[in-house]
């Protein structure tokens, strides 16, 4: 088993992944700028650090699950950052940062010749993080991949996506664009059906065994829209970031993304209307407001 592990960023995803590492028997040092986020993990046996640098001095491998590309960069290279630690030789970035930031961080780290980057974004939501059923999209040198695979397996199914950091990110952006597009178009279609008098649960029952079936209708609508709770577990601000990164990347490499651009605008309006900390299922709320209907379970 690889040596001591560190974890920075104990939010919706990081808290659950850290718990799994503790349950798997790893010795863990944690840091989050939010003191309260560290408490449940420390109560389960993790060591509390005062900075990312302290985590990197106590661990051979450091994992991060942070909100945005800029924050990841700052946590690695900024004051009190991971590069100031004196022990870690591997950094696993589980965040969604886009291929450009991942490539830039890998290059900057390679100059120090001490820390290797594993680009390893994940998919499967908070439920997957808790149960260990995430898809992990790893990209890094093959020998580094072999060495971190046992850690990544604690989170779910591990895929080797390529030998360059950033390749996992590209796959992750493609996945998230498809997922948010499904959420957006399902919100529009559900609003139409309900306004015309259909029962939303009947719609889902039928569509899920028909050609329109998708993960938004299978998981997100029953849990967070039909209940009116809008609390699936992923922030609108982060989802907006994902689709923005995706359209930017497609544009940068010369791939037109017509539908993706519309999805990005819809997430921009959701973000402006409900705020970045609202849940991304709020896109359905937007459609409810525009249509004058509520997509609620009547059964
Ligand atoms: P989150 O906002 O719930 O958690 C982020 C954590 O990072 C917070 O606890 C915050 O306090 C901490 N943090 C922020 N800045 C910090 C800093 N400078 N130093 C130390 N800690 C800092 O976000 P999340 O939903 O857990 O997502 C984390 C990453 O995983 C994002 O990149 C997101 O896009 C991606 N992701 C999320 C989901 C999901 O369903 N929530 C699924 C797959 C991927």
């Amino acid at each position: 088993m690889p040596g001591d592990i560190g974890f920075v960023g104990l939010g919706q995803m990081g808290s659950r992944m850290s718990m799994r590492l503790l349950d798997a028997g790893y010795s863990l040092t944690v840091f989050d700028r939010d003191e309260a986020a560290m408490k449940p993990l420390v109560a389960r046996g993790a060591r509390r650090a005062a900075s990312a640098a302290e985590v990197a001095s106590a661990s051979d491998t450091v994992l991060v699950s942070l909100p945005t590309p800029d924050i990841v960069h700052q946590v690695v290279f900024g004051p009190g950052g991971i590069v100031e630690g004196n022990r870690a030789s591997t950094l696993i970035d589980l965040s969604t940062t886009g291929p450009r930031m991942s490539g830039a961080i890998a290059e900057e780290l390679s100059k120090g010749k001490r820390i290797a980057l594993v680009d390893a974004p994940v998919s499967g939501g908070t439920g997957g993080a808790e149960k260990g059923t995430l898809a992990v999209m790893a990209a890094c040198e093959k020998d580094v991949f072999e060495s971190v695979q046992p850690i990544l397996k604690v989170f779910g199914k591990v895929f080797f996506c390529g030998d360059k950091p950033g390749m996992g990110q590209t796959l992750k952006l493609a996945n998230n664009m498809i997922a948010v597009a499904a959420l957006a178009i399902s919100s529009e279609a559900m609003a139409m059906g309900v306004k015309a008098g259909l029962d939303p649960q009947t719609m889902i029952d039928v569509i899920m065994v028909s050609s329109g079936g998708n993960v938004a209708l299978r998981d997100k609508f029953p849990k967070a829209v039909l209940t009116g709770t809008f609390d699936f577990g992923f922030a609108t601000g982060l989802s907006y970031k994902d689709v923005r990164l995706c359209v930017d990347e497609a544009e940068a490499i010369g791939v037109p993304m017509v539908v993706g651009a519309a999805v990005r605008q819809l997430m921009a309006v959701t973000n402006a209307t409900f705020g970045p900390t609202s849940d991304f299922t709020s896109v359905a709320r937007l459609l409810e407001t525009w249509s004058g209907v509520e997509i609620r379970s009547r059964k």
Side-chain angles (χ1 to χ4, degrees):
M1 182 183 287
D4 296 329
I5 295 186
F7 209 113
V8 182
L10 309 166
Q12 298 267 21
M13 298 297 283
S15 58
R16 292 169 169 90
M17 288 190 271
S18 297
M19 281 294 184
R20 290 196 62 81
L21 289 170
L22 286 172
D23 289 347
Y26 285 100
S27 146
L28 197 67
T29 303
V30 295
F31 174 67
D32 193 291
R33 68 176 176 189
D34 175 6
E35 187 67 32
M38 290 190 274
K39 276 195 183 142
L41 289 147
V42 172
R44 284 278 284 273
R47 281 185 303 274
R48 176 199 312 261
S51 66
E54 208 175 291
V55 171
S57 290
S59 323
D60 301 300
T61 302
V62 178
L63 299 98
V64 299
S65 177
L66 294 160
T68 64
D70 291 345
I71 292 177
V72 173
H73 190 273
Q74 194 204 340
V75 165
V76 178
F77 299 107
I82 287 164
V83 293
E84 288 181 12
N86 57 22
R87 178 168 164 194
S89 58
T90 310
L91 168 63
I92 302 177
D93 184 8
L94 304 156
S95 332
T96 309
T97 59
R100 262 141 236 278
M101 180 55 86
S102 196
I105 290 177
E107 200 185 323
E108 226 169 311
L109 283 175
S110 73
K111 289 176 191 154
K113 296 195 192 322
R114 192 169 56 84
I115 304 177
L117 177 69
V118 180
D119 165 30
V122 297
S123 182
T126 51
E130 197 161 317
K131 292 193 285 258
T133 56
L134 294 171
V136 183
M137 308 170 206
C140 59
E141 301 279 351
K142 199 72 203 262
D143 56 330
V144 179
F145 174 72
E146 301 300 343
S147 72
V148 296
Q149 218 181 348
I151 299 173
L152 297 178
K153 276 187 175 161
V154 172
F155 306 139
K157 196 161 185 185
V158 184
F159 298 90
F160 181 71
C161 303
D163 59 1
K164 280 194 214 66
M167 295 173 83
Q169 291 291 333
T170 302
L171 214 165
K172 167 70 178 163
L173 293 184
N175 173 77
N176 280 30
M177 176 56 88
I178 294 168
V180 181
L183 178 61
I185 197 66
S186 298
S187 299
E188 293 182 352
M190 290 296 289
M192 177 194 72
V194 172
K195 190 157 187 180
L198 287 167
D199 172 64
Q201 187 60 59
T202 304
M203 287 183 73
I204 291 176
D205 291 345
V206 174
I207 295 170
M208 282 311 298
V209 293
S210 304
S211 50
N214 65 65
V215 173
L217 288 176
R218 190 192 68 194
D219 298 340
K220 292 165 190 125
F221 272 75
K223 179 174 187 290
V225 181
L226 298 201
T227 54
T229 52
F230 301 101
D231 62 347
F232 193 73
F234 188 42
T236 298
L238 295 184
S239 179
Y240 176 35
K241 167 208 66 174
D242 290 348
V243 292
R244 223 168 46 221
L245 284 170
C246 185
V247 175
D248 287 351
E249 180 59 20
E251 207 163 69
I253 60 173
V255 176
M257 224 174 229
V258 179
V259 176
V263 171
R264 175 172 68 176
Q265 288 311 317
L266 203 54
M267 291 316 291
V269 179
T270 306
N271 195 58
T273 307
F274 300 107
T277 58
S278 67
D279 191 80
F280 77 146
T281 51
S282 298
V283 66
R285 244 162 109 195
L286 190 66
L287 263 300
E288 290 184 347
T289 312
W290 286 347
S291 320
V293 287
E294 284 193 341
I295 309 166
R296 295 290 171 278
S297 185
R298 297 184 210 148
K299 286 184 178 169

